[in-house]
């Protein structure tokens, strides 16, 4: 099936989030080291970014390194950080050409100096691009984000900037790392695992979840188009009934 041409251009999700999983298992099945899987995962990152820009998804978040990933062997962490620095260097011209703005969520300050510095530079250079906002979740977890949000809120209360009784969904949202982005409508996870794994727990409240069996290094543009097609063929009820939805689309 030609998924790309079957996509309804009027119903493109504003934000898609991806848990890129399975690099290690992909490599192991080929008798290679886990790092080989991460290297091949970069190709899949290029594909998903190109597919998102092609069909006009305005926000794309990729879970590149979780808070829990700091527990991996030191050499794997170093290899991932080196890969990030190299990829950012190499991809900058493509990001500029395709109108991609790079942003990050997570505890960027604790990344190794070279990675933090390169991210800062690429974010600055791409800040006026408007076609796609590519958000890399790095040293990120939802529980970390929630604790940080509460800390900032408590400080603002202490300094008299906001009152505790002003807390509602909107004010809480403004303290999250993702305050400037819409919530994802679709979350894709590769590798057959069916978990959220501490990723955007508040923001994914109403997202459609899609779990694919293939490993991340095998993910290609057509998989993204198929995911969007799948999303468009689901009924999103937001707590309402099917009948209510049909009625409101008839008027
Ligand atoms: C999960 O697979 C993947 C990661 C923890 C890292 C993702 C990183 C990349 C795709 C490359 C660099 C990224 C950018 C943005 C240039 P896993 O290692 O958990 O695989 P496993 O579950 O099979 O062990």
């Amino acid at each position: 099936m030609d998924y790309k041409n079957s996509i309804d251009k009027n119903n493109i999700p504003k934000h898609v989030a991806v848990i890129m999983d399975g690099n290690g298992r992909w490599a192991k099945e080929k008798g290679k080291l886990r790092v080989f899987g991460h290297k091949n995962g970069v190709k899949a990152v290029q594909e998903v970014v190109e597919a998102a820009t092609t069909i006009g998804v305005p926000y794309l978040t990729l879970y590149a390194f979780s808070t829990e990933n700091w527990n991996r062997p030191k050499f794997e962490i170093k290899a991932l950080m080196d890969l990030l620095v190299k990829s950012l260097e190499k991809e900058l011209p493509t990001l500029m050409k395709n109108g991609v703005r790079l942003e990050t969520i997570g505890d960027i300050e604790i990344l190794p100096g070279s990675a933090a510095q390169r991210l800062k530079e690429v974010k600055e250079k791409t800040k006026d691009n408007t076609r796609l906002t590519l958000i890399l979740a790095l040293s990120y977890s939802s529980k970390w984000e929630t604790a940080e949000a509460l800390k900032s809120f408590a400080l603002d209360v202490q300094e008299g900037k906001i009152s505790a009784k002003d807390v509602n969904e909107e004010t809480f949202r403004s303290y999250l790392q993702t305050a400037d982005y819409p919530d994802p409508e679709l979350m894709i996870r590769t590798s057959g695992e069916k978990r959220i794994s501490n990723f955007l727990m508040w923001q994914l409240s109403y997202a459609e979840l899609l779990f694919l069996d293939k490993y991340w290094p095998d993910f290609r543009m057509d998989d993204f188009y198929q995911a969007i097609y799948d999303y468009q063929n689901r009924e999103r009820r937001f707590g309402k009934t099917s009948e209510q939805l049909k009625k409101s689309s008839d008027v």
Side-chain angles (χ1 to χ4, degrees):
M1 181 167 172
D2 181 353
Y3 291 107
K4 187 180 169 199
N5 286 310
S6 307
I7 289 171
D8 174 0
K9 307 271 179 313
N10 298 314
N11 184 22
I12 300 286
K14 287 193 179 58
H15 189 170
V16 178
V18 185
I19 301 182
M20 311 182 284
D21 196 14
N23 293 352
R25 278 164 285 166
W26 183 89
K28 212 173 157 198
E29 282 183 12
K30 293 181 161 41
K32 307 270 189 185
L33 296 175
R34 297 174 53 79
V35 172
F36 181 71
H38 297 317
K39 281 187 184 150
N40 282 275
V42 175
K43 165 78 180 150
V45 171
Q46 291 163 338
E47 295 257 334
V48 75
V49 171
E50 192 178 338
T53 44
T54 302
I55 59 166
V57 171
Y59 294 88
L60 176 70
T61 297
L62 304 179
Y63 205 3
F65 194 85
S66 72
T67 308
E68 291 77 16
N69 286 153
W70 289 113
N71 298 321
R72 292 198 173 190
K74 286 222 163 31
F75 70 87
E76 185 174 341
I77 297 177
K78 183 171 181 324
L80 274 168
M81 293 300 150
D82 289 350
L83 201 54
L84 177 70
V85 172
K86 269 197 205 129
S87 304
L88 287 171
E89 244 160 55
K90 196 164 159 263
E91 294 302 319
L92 180 60
T94 314
L95 298 180
M96 294 309 288
K97 188 174 123 240
N98 293 333
V100 181
R101 170 173 72 132
L102 185 81
E103 298 261 280
T104 51
I105 54 172
D107 196 0
I108 302 304
E109 300 304 315
I110 66 166
L111 295 180
S114 54
Q117 184 55 31
R118 191 48 42 87
L119 281 164
K120 217 167 131 192
E121 284 164 18
V122 176
K123 277 156 78 170
E124 177 58 30
K125 285 191 175 133
T126 60
K127 72 177 188 324
D128 295 325
N129 293 342
T130 55
R131 200 161 156 207
L132 169 73
T133 299
L134 170 63
I135 304 149
L136 293 184
L138 286 160
S139 190
Y140 170 87
S141 77
S142 228
K143 289 188 177 180
W144 169 83
E145 176 186 41
T146 311
E148 285 298 303
L150 280 174
K151 203 191 298 170
S152 306
F153 174 74
L155 283 171
D156 282 355
V157 172
Q158 216 170 35
E159 290 168 16
K161 292 186 188 153
I162 188 167
S163 158
K165 60 181 187 316
D166 292 334
V167 178
N168 54 35
E169 282 187 24
E170 273 320 295
T171 45
F172 182 71
R173 195 181 186 286
S174 72
Y175 284 90
L176 293 173
Q177 299 269 305
T178 52
D180 295 336
Y181 321 128
D183 286 345
E185 290 106 327
L186 171 65
M187 194 284 288
I188 305 168
R189 181 176 190 152
T190 55
S191 92
E193 306 293 356
K194 295 177 181 68
R195 291 189 289 274
I196 305 290
S197 297
N198 217 347
F199 184 48
L200 301 174
M201 288 179 323
W202 167 284
Q203 299 86 340
L204 293 177
S205 300
Y206 268 105
E208 295 296 327
L209 308 179
L210 181 66
F211 299 100
L212 303 179
D213 283 336
K214 65 170 63 179
Y215 294 138
W216 179 248
D218 288 329
F219 190 92
R220 292 293 173 266
M221 290 174 78
D222 208 43
D223 294 307
F224 189 75
Y225 299 140
Q226 186 172 356
I228 303 297
Y229 180 79
D230 179 310
Y231 160 84
Q232 291 183 336
N233 286 286
R234 294 186 187 191
E235 185 181 68
R236 307 192 73 215
R237 290 199 294 276
F238 301 99
K240 293 184 179 173
T241 66
S242 282
E243 290 68 28
Q244 282 176 305
L245 290 180
K246 280 194 193 93
K247 254 186 215 151
S248 60
S249 69
D250 287 346
V251 286

